[in-house]
Amino acid sequence: MATLTEQQGLFCWLSQCAMLEPSAASAAAIAAATAPPERAERDADVPAPLSAERLVHLLAELREYHASSRQERQDLRSERVEQKTRLLRLEQQLLAEEQIGQDLARRIETLEEAIRQERLLQEKLSQGSMREAVQGFSRSSLLSPDVRPVTPEVLSAYLERLPKAPQSCQCALRERLREARIEFREGDDVSGFARHTGSPGSCTTTSEAELPGLSWQLRWTIQGHLDATRCVLLDDSNSVLLSSGEDLVVKCWDTSGIWRGHDADELEPFASLRGHTGAVLSLAFRTQDRILFSAGLDSIRAWSLPDGTPCEGMQLIGHQDAVWSLQHHLHLPCMASAGADGQLALWNTELELRTETQTRLQASFVLKDPAKGDSLDVPTCSCWVPSQTSQLLAGYTSSRMAVFDVRHGTTVMDLKTPAERAQGIYAGATCAAAQPLSRLMAASFADGHVRLLDLSAGRFICHVDHPETVTSLALDPSNAHGLLTGCHDGCLRVFDLRSGTGGAAGGVHLVQQVKLHQQKCVMRTVTLWQDKVPEREKWSNSIWSSWANCGRIAFKPDGTQIIVAAGNRVLVYDATDGDLVHSLKGHKESVFCVAYSRHGKKFASGGADKQVIIWTHKAEGILKYNHNESIQCLAYNPVTQQLASGTASDLGLWSPEQKSVSKRKVNSKILAMSWTNDGLHIALGLFSGHISIRDKFGEAGPACLKPMTAHLAALLKRAP
């Protein structure tokens, strides 16, 4: 082995031969060559350090693996939630089927018990009573030897004392049909009459007889609501009347006294249920435990009668908008609700659920609007089908009628009205009713028609015309041929579905018309003049509707002129004949809002160019000031002629007395504004759903910010 000095000399000679200077790598090689054998072996076991490029590559691989693992965990979590939801839905479906089975079992037991009691009574009357009467007759002294023989008169007198057999159900049904003047042949099986009445011919029978003893008269008038009454409901015993209206109150009336002859003017509600923040539009009653459900513009609430206390734990949360209709099932603990959010919801109304986490919203059905593409069709009314326990009929704003099977979650029937199929006319449904004895349904529409629907045939069979929109209707449950309707003209109309000669009304005859209420006031407009806004290059000629008190259209206070924001111009019209007086150019972008001062000498305009221009009544621009954002709304102070302008970030205040514009910061986009009549305060409607009340200098105190109602916030959020 060469010595250390010899090795160093050899390396220097090799470097000189290659004309290379010793580098760091060479030094490392020298150190390795000259190192002792033990140290060289230890260094060979240590791995070489990784380069920067290799470390970056490994870090990218680790990040990719981490992202894929996180995505897999999210997918597994979503799949777990979906499986839990599916399992819950299946459990709820199983629960509904069990409830239906239990209800059917209870019905069968009730019928079997009734049949058993009927048989025992029949046997007792036909055997036991007859035997006792005969034995009593044989033991009578009339048959003793010392008494003269029995005469026919005496025998008939004893026979009259014998109990008579009860009337059979067949004979009782025949008598009821004769009393109702419903035609049938003596050889017909009248036990199946309820099934036959569902055919199309049942509502167009050629019989000319009107409904027996049908004469409606105004008997009582009950007053108590401070605004329009939207819904009335009677309980199963007809002793409690429930009413709701636009005064946000549900009232409960004890009507048992007026049936006994008491004065209805002295009737007072025994309970007034308060808690709604919007108009109460519909009511439903669960007779088993006397639970009242009320719904309207805000939510669905549950009350316990007769004390009228809210039901604890009965939270029916699921709709995102107003609820138009409530319909509780006659036998099952479930209720259907039709909402403006497009949902036809099904609720579990049991007081005690199986688990605390079980939701009361069982299912919801949605349909696409045929006229609007992707948007949902809005249900306005619903009604359970009596002949099918699990079927629900619903009417929509598109005038369609749909039948759903709530047990299996399927659509059984989807029908369009004849006007919709032929002319594309969409008149929304307003109310639906069912005939308990048949498959006949009735629905009213906004075009004044009441259409009769035969579910067995799956089609509309006839319609009844009205002069105004029909808002309520009912089918008489006792005779199967009476139809009652109420519409905006304030009249109650009674129709006989059997009589008439056919034609447009399908053989329905008007029996009686009673004027009960005042005619609903409907504002009808007449077009005085119209003008087509000319299109200009790259500018839209559309005029936005005035969704608030300040918009793209404003009247001069004396009513002689109209200013319109169209495109990037301000148009001034003569309000009398519609002549275009001025077409003002000043804005570089679209004009969003215009406003006239109270004295009528100035008006202002603002738009997307972030500028506010003040004009004289002679259409001369006199002043212009800027904001940092586009102008959303304008409003003049009615007293000081101070002009307020709102943007997405600030509030501007200008007056003729000051040279500069004072600005105040806001925490949300201003969508609407309005001054008070005394000019001391201004209200700002914000995109965040709040109303900010400020003084005339734009200052807001800590108590000036107040929450808005959900309805007003939704209106403001629809603004551009």
PDB file of all heavy atoms in Angstrom, residues 148-172:
ATOM      1  N   ARG A 148    -163.541 -18.667  25.351  1.00  0.00           N
ATOM      2  CA  ARG A 148    -164.006 -18.911  23.996  1.00  0.00           C
ATOM      3  C   ARG A 148    -162.837 -18.981  23.022  1.00  0.00           C
ATOM      4  O   ARG A 148    -161.761 -18.456  23.293  1.00  0.00           O
ATOM      5  CB  ARG A 148    -164.972 -17.825  23.591  1.00  0.00           C
ATOM      6  CG  ARG A 148    -164.361 -16.441  23.583  1.00  0.00           C
ATOM      7  CD  ARG A 148    -165.379 -15.375  23.197  1.00  0.00           C
ATOM      8  NE  ARG A 148    -164.787 -14.053  23.199  1.00  0.00           N
ATOM      9  CZ  ARG A 148    -165.469 -12.951  22.851  1.00  0.00           C
ATOM     10  NH1 ARG A 148    -166.750 -13.043  22.502  1.00  0.00           N
ATOM     11  NH2 ARG A 148    -164.875 -11.783  22.866  1.00  0.00           N
ATOM     12  N   PRO A 149    -162.992 -19.584  21.835  1.00  0.00           N
ATOM     13  CA  PRO A 149    -161.903 -19.710  20.862  1.00  0.00           C
ATOM     14  C   PRO A 149    -161.381 -18.334  20.418  1.00  0.00           C
ATOM     15  O   PRO A 149    -162.065 -17.330  20.469  1.00  0.00           O
ATOM     16  CB  PRO A 149    -162.558 -20.468  19.707  1.00  0.00           C
ATOM     17  CG  PRO A 149    -163.723 -21.150  20.312  1.00  0.00           C
ATOM     18  CD  PRO A 149    -164.210 -20.266  21.403  1.00  0.00           C
ATOM     19  N   VAL A 150    -160.061 -18.386  19.977  1.00  0.00           N
ATOM     20  CA  VAL A 150    -159.377 -17.149  19.551  1.00  0.00           C
ATOM     21  C   VAL A 150    -159.966 -16.669  18.248  1.00  0.00           C
ATOM     22  O   VAL A 150    -160.080 -17.431  17.284  1.00  0.00           O
ATOM     23  CB  VAL A 150    -157.873 -17.404  19.398  1.00  0.00           C
ATOM     24  CG1 VAL A 150    -157.163 -16.151  18.941  1.00  0.00           C
ATOM     25  CG2 VAL A 150    -157.298 -17.907  20.703  1.00  0.00           C
ATOM     26  N   THR A 151    -160.347 -15.425  18.227  1.00  0.00           N
ATOM     27  CA  THR A 151    -160.851 -14.811  17.003  1.00  0.00           C
ATOM     28  C   THR A 151    -159.705 -14.226  16.195  1.00  0.00           C
ATOM     29  O   THR A 151    -158.618 -13.942  16.727  1.00  0.00           O
ATOM     30  CB  THR A 151    -161.836 -13.697  17.358  1.00  0.00           C
ATOM     31  OG1 THR A 151    -161.146 -12.690  18.093  1.00  0.00           O
ATOM     32  CG2 THR A 151    -162.993 -14.254  18.192  1.00  0.00           C
ATOM     33  N   PRO A 152    -159.873 -13.978  14.890  1.00  0.00           N
ATOM     34  CA  PRO A 152    -158.808 -13.355  14.081  1.00  0.00           C
ATOM     35  C   PRO A 152    -158.406 -11.974  14.576  1.00  0.00           C
ATOM     36  O   PRO A 152    -157.241 -11.578  14.468  1.00  0.00           O
ATOM     37  CB  PRO A 152    -159.451 -13.302  12.693  1.00  0.00           C
ATOM     38  CG  PRO A 152    -160.455 -14.393  12.694  1.00  0.00           C
ATOM     39  CD  PRO A 152    -161.002 -14.420  14.087  1.00  0.00           C
ATOM     40  N   GLU A 153    -159.343 -11.221  15.142  1.00  0.00           N
ATOM     41  CA  GLU A 153    -158.996  -9.882  15.626  1.00  0.00           C
ATOM     42  C   GLU A 153    -158.011  -9.958  16.791  1.00  0.00           C
ATOM     43  O   GLU A 153    -157.038  -9.209  16.872  1.00  0.00           O
ATOM     44  CB  GLU A 153    -160.260  -9.133  16.045  1.00  0.00           C
ATOM     45  CG  GLU A 153    -161.183  -8.761  14.905  1.00  0.00           C
ATOM     46  CD  GLU A 153    -162.018  -9.949  14.442  1.00  0.00           C
ATOM     47  OE1 GLU A 153    -161.932 -11.003  15.107  1.00  0.00           O
ATOM     48  OE2 GLU A 153    -162.707  -9.813  13.414  1.00  0.00           O
ATOM     49  N   VAL A 154    -158.268 -10.903  17.700  1.00  0.00           N
ATOM     50  CA  VAL A 154    -157.357 -11.042  18.841  1.00  0.00           C
ATOM     51  C   VAL A 154    -155.990 -11.524  18.391  1.00  0.00           C
ATOM     52  O   VAL A 154    -154.938 -11.064  18.853  1.00  0.00           O
ATOM     53  CB  VAL A 154    -157.975 -12.001  19.877  1.00  0.00           C
ATOM     54  CG1 VAL A 154    -157.000 -12.240  21.023  1.00  0.00           C
ATOM     55  CG2 VAL A 154    -159.277 -11.444  20.397  1.00  0.00           C
ATOM     56  N   LEU A 155    -155.948 -12.457  17.451  1.00  0.00           N
ATOM     57  CA  LEU A 155    -154.673 -12.961  16.948  1.00  0.00           C
ATOM     58  C   LEU A 155    -153.869 -11.873  16.250  1.00  0.00           C
ATOM     59  O   LEU A 155    -152.649 -11.756  16.424  1.00  0.00           O
ATOM     60  CB  LEU A 155    -154.932 -14.138  15.999  1.00  0.00           C
ATOM     61  CG  LEU A 155    -153.684 -14.824  15.437  1.00  0.00           C
ATOM     62  CD1 LEU A 155    -152.818 -15.350  16.576  1.00  0.00           C
ATOM     63  CD2 LEU A 155    -154.077 -15.927  14.480  1.00  0.00           C
ATOM     64  N   SER A 156    -154.548 -11.030  15.459  1.00  0.00           N
ATOM     65  CA  SER A 156    -153.837  -9.939  14.777  1.00  0.00           C
ATOM     66  C   SER A 156    -153.301  -8.923  15.778  1.00  0.00           C
ATOM     67  O   SER A 156    -152.225  -8.349  15.598  1.00  0.00           O
ATOM     68  CB  SER A 156    -154.770  -9.253  13.778  1.00  0.00           C
ATOM     69  OG  SER A 156    -155.885  -8.687  14.443  1.00  0.00           O
ATOM     70  N   ALA A 157    -154.050  -8.706  16.881  1.00  0.00           N
ATOM     71  CA  ALA A 157    -153.566  -7.780  17.912  1.00  0.00           C
ATOM     72  C   ALA A 157    -152.288  -8.300  18.552  1.00  0.00           C
ATOM     73  O   ALA A 157    -151.345  -7.543  18.825  1.00  0.00           O
ATOM     74  CB  ALA A 157    -154.642  -7.559  18.960  1.00  0.00           C
ATOM     75  N   TYR A 158    -152.195  -9.594  18.782  1.00  0.00           N
ATOM     76  CA  TYR A 158    -150.980 -10.161  19.342  1.00  0.00           C
ATOM     77  C   TYR A 158    -149.830 -10.175  18.335  1.00  0.00           C
ATOM     78  O   TYR A 158    -148.664 -10.019  18.698  1.00  0.00           O
ATOM     79  CB  TYR A 158    -151.248 -11.580  19.859  1.00  0.00           C
ATOM     80  CG  TYR A 158    -151.762 -11.606  21.275  1.00  0.00           C
ATOM     81  CD1 TYR A 158    -153.126 -11.528  21.540  1.00  0.00           C
ATOM     82  CD2 TYR A 158    -150.871 -11.693  22.336  1.00  0.00           C
ATOM     83  CE1 TYR A 158    -153.594 -11.534  22.840  1.00  0.00           C
ATOM     84  CE2 TYR A 158    -151.348 -11.708  23.644  1.00  0.00           C
ATOM     85  CZ  TYR A 158    -152.698 -11.628  23.891  1.00  0.00           C
ATOM     86  OH  TYR A 158    -153.163 -11.634  25.189  1.00  0.00           O
ATOM     87  N   LEU A 159    -150.165 -10.405  17.098  1.00  0.00           N
ATOM     88  CA  LEU A 159    -149.108 -10.398  16.084  1.00  0.00           C
ATOM     89  C   LEU A 159    -148.486  -9.021  15.928  1.00  0.00           C
ATOM     90  O   LEU A 159    -147.302  -8.889  15.613  1.00  0.00           O
ATOM     91  CB  LEU A 159    -149.679 -10.888  14.749  1.00  0.00           C
ATOM     92  CG  LEU A 159    -150.030 -12.375  14.686  1.00  0.00           C
ATOM     93  CD1 LEU A 159    -150.654 -12.712  13.335  1.00  0.00           C
ATOM     94  CD2 LEU A 159    -148.800 -13.227  14.928  1.00  0.00           C
ATOM     95  N   GLU A 160    -149.291  -7.967  16.150  1.00  0.00           N
ATOM     96  CA  GLU A 160    -148.729  -6.623  16.059  1.00  0.00           C
ATOM     97  C   GLU A 160    -147.730  -6.351  17.175  1.00  0.00           C
ATOM     98  O   GLU A 160    -146.865  -5.504  17.036  1.00  0.00           O
ATOM     99  CB  GLU A 160    -149.858  -5.597  16.113  1.00  0.00           C
ATOM    100  CG  GLU A 160    -150.703  -5.578  14.845  1.00  0.00           C
ATOM    101  CD  GLU A 160    -151.841  -4.584  14.955  1.00  0.00           C
ATOM    102  OE1 GLU A 160    -151.959  -3.976  16.047  1.00  0.00           O
ATOM    103  OE2 GLU A 160    -152.583  -4.413  13.979  1.00  0.00           O
ATOM    104  N   ARG A 161    -147.872  -7.082  18.277  1.00  0.00           N
ATOM    105  CA  ARG A 161    -146.948  -6.887  19.391  1.00  0.00           C
ATOM    106  C   ARG A 161    -145.604  -7.565  19.163  1.00  0.00           C
ATOM    107  O   ARG A 161    -144.640  -7.301  19.873  1.00  0.00           O
ATOM    108  CB  ARG A 161    -147.573  -7.428  20.672  1.00  0.00           C
ATOM    109  CG  ARG A 161    -148.810  -6.667  21.113  1.00  0.00           C
ATOM    110  CD  ARG A 161    -149.460  -7.344  22.288  1.00  0.00           C
ATOM    111  NE  ARG A 161    -148.523  -7.523  23.393  1.00  0.00           N
ATOM    112  CZ  ARG A 161    -148.791  -8.206  24.504  1.00  0.00           C
ATOM    113  NH1 ARG A 161    -149.991  -8.765  24.646  1.00  0.00           N
ATOM    114  NH2 ARG A 161    -147.897  -8.321  25.458  1.00  0.00           N
ATOM    115  N   LEU A 162    -145.507  -8.412  18.156  1.00  0.00           N
ATOM    116  CA  LEU A 162    -144.247  -9.088  17.877  1.00  0.00           C
ATOM    117  C   LEU A 162    -143.242  -8.096  17.297  1.00  0.00           C
ATOM    118  O   LEU A 162    -143.594  -7.226  16.505  1.00  0.00           O
ATOM    119  CB  LEU A 162    -144.473 -10.245  16.895  1.00  0.00           C
ATOM    120  CG  LEU A 162    -145.347 -11.384  17.405  1.00  0.00           C
ATOM    121  CD1 LEU A 162    -145.505 -12.434  16.315  1.00  0.00           C
ATOM    122  CD2 LEU A 162    -144.762 -11.997  18.650  1.00  0.00           C
ATOM    123  N   PRO A 163    -141.950  -8.208  17.681  1.00  0.00           N
ATOM    124  CA  PRO A 163    -140.936  -7.290  17.131  1.00  0.00           C
ATOM    125  C   PRO A 163    -140.743  -7.538  15.648  1.00  0.00           C
ATOM    126  O   PRO A 163    -140.725  -8.677  15.192  1.00  0.00           O
ATOM    127  CB  PRO A 163    -139.670  -7.633  17.938  1.00  0.00           C
ATOM    128  CG  PRO A 163    -139.883  -9.029  18.430  1.00  0.00           C
ATOM    129  CD  PRO A 163    -141.359  -9.175  18.634  1.00  0.00           C
ATOM    130  N   LYS A 164    -140.598  -6.441  14.933  1.00  0.00           N
ATOM    131  CA  LYS A 164    -140.399  -6.526  13.476  1.00  0.00           C
ATOM    132  C   LYS A 164    -138.911  -6.639  13.177  1.00  0.00           C
ATOM    133  O   LYS A 164    -138.069  -6.069  13.866  1.00  0.00           O
ATOM    134  CB  LYS A 164    -140.989  -5.290  12.788  1.00  0.00           C
ATOM    135  CG  LYS A 164    -142.492  -5.156  12.968  1.00  0.00           C
ATOM    136  CD  LYS A 164    -142.977  -3.934  12.240  1.00  0.00           C
ATOM    137  CE  LYS A 164    -144.489  -3.829  12.303  1.00  0.00           C
ATOM    138  NZ  LYS A 164    -144.989  -3.723  13.679  1.00  0.00           N
ATOM    139  N   ALA A 165    -138.584  -7.364  12.137  1.00  0.00           N
ATOM    140  CA  ALA A 165    -137.185  -7.493  11.709  1.00  0.00           C
ATOM    141  C   ALA A 165    -136.684  -6.149  11.189  1.00  0.00           C
ATOM    142  O   ALA A 165    -137.429  -5.402  10.558  1.00  0.00           O
ATOM    143  CB  ALA A 165    -137.064  -8.563  10.611  1.00  0.00           C
ATOM    144  N   PRO A 166    -135.442  -5.799  11.478  1.00  0.00           N
ATOM    145  CA  PRO A 166    -134.928  -4.507  11.020  1.00  0.00           C
ATOM    146  C   PRO A 166    -134.835  -4.452   9.503  1.00  0.00           C
ATOM    147  O   PRO A 166    -134.725  -5.466   8.822  1.00  0.00           O
ATOM    148  CB  PRO A 166    -133.535  -4.440  11.662  1.00  0.00           C
ATOM    149  CG  PRO A 166    -133.144  -5.869  11.875  1.00  0.00           C
ATOM    150  CD  PRO A 166    -134.423  -6.598  12.184  1.00  0.00           C
ATOM    151  N   GLN A 167    -134.834  -3.212   8.993  1.00  0.00           N
ATOM    152  CA  GLN A 167    -134.763  -3.007   7.537  1.00  0.00           C
ATOM    153  C   GLN A 167    -133.357  -3.334   7.039  1.00  0.00           C
ATOM    154  O   GLN A 167    -132.358  -2.975   7.659  1.00  0.00           O
ATOM    155  CB  GLN A 167    -135.095  -1.549   7.217  1.00  0.00           C
ATOM    156  CG  GLN A 167    -135.233  -1.260   5.725  1.00  0.00           C
ATOM    157  CD  GLN A 167    -135.505   0.212   5.482  1.00  0.00           C
ATOM    158  OE1 GLN A 167    -135.076   1.044   6.255  1.00  0.00           O
ATOM    159  NE2 GLN A 167    -136.226   0.509   4.431  1.00  0.00           N
ATOM    160  N   SER A 168    -133.261  -4.019   5.931  1.00  0.00           N
ATOM    161  CA  SER A 168    -131.963  -4.402   5.396  1.00  0.00           C
ATOM    162  C   SER A 168    -131.223  -3.176   4.846  1.00  0.00           C
ATOM    163  O   SER A 168    -131.825  -2.150   4.532  1.00  0.00           O
ATOM    164  CB  SER A 168    -132.137  -5.445   4.281  1.00  0.00           C
ATOM    165  OG  SER A 168    -132.825  -4.869   3.180  1.00  0.00           O
ATOM    166  N   CYS A 169    -129.902  -3.312   4.747  1.00  0.00           N
ATOM    167  CA  CYS A 169    -129.083  -2.215   4.205  1.00  0.00           C
ATOM    168  C   CYS A 169    -129.444  -1.921   2.751  1.00  0.00           C
ATOM    169  O   CYS A 169    -129.395  -0.774   2.302  1.00  0.00           O
ATOM    170  CB  CYS A 169    -127.603  -2.580   4.323  1.00  0.00           C
ATOM    171  SG  CYS A 169    -127.033  -2.757   6.026  1.00  0.00           S
ATOM    172  N   GLN A 170    -129.803  -2.970   2.002  1.00  0.00           N
ATOM    173  CA  GLN A 170    -130.189  -2.778   0.604  1.00  0.00           C
ATOM    174  C   GLN A 170    -131.426  -1.899   0.499  1.00  0.00           C
ATOM    175  O   GLN A 170    -131.468  -0.951  -0.298  1.00  0.00           O
ATOM    176  CB  GLN A 170    -130.452  -4.153  -0.029  1.00  0.00           C
ATOM    177  CG  GLN A 170    -130.643  -4.128  -1.541  1.00  0.00           C
ATOM    178  CD  GLN A 170    -129.313  -4.201  -2.253  1.00  0.00           C
ATOM    179  OE1 GLN A 170    -128.283  -4.128  -1.619  1.00  0.00           O
ATOM    180  NE2 GLN A 170    -129.353  -4.322  -3.562  1.00  0.00           N
ATOM    181  N   CYS A 171    -132.423  -2.176   1.336  1.00  0.00           N
ATOM    182  CA  CYS A 171    -133.647  -1.367   1.288  1.00  0.00           C
ATOM    183  C   CYS A 171    -133.393   0.055   1.765  1.00  0.00           C
ATOM    184  O   CYS A 171    -133.936   1.022   1.216  1.00  0.00           O
ATOM    185  CB  CYS A 171    -134.732  -2.025   2.142  1.00  0.00           C
ATOM    186  SG  CYS A 171    -135.244  -3.662   1.550  1.00  0.00           S
ATOM    187  N   ALA A 172    -132.553   0.200   2.811  1.00  0.00           N
ATOM    188  CA  ALA A 172    -132.242   1.549   3.302  1.00  0.00           C
ATOM    189  C   ALA A 172    -131.527   2.367   2.232  1.00  0.00           C
ATOM    190  O   ALA A 172    -131.806   3.559   2.039  1.00  0.00           O
ATOM    191  CB  ALA A 172    -131.385   1.452   4.565  1.00  0.00           C
TER     192      ALA A 172
END
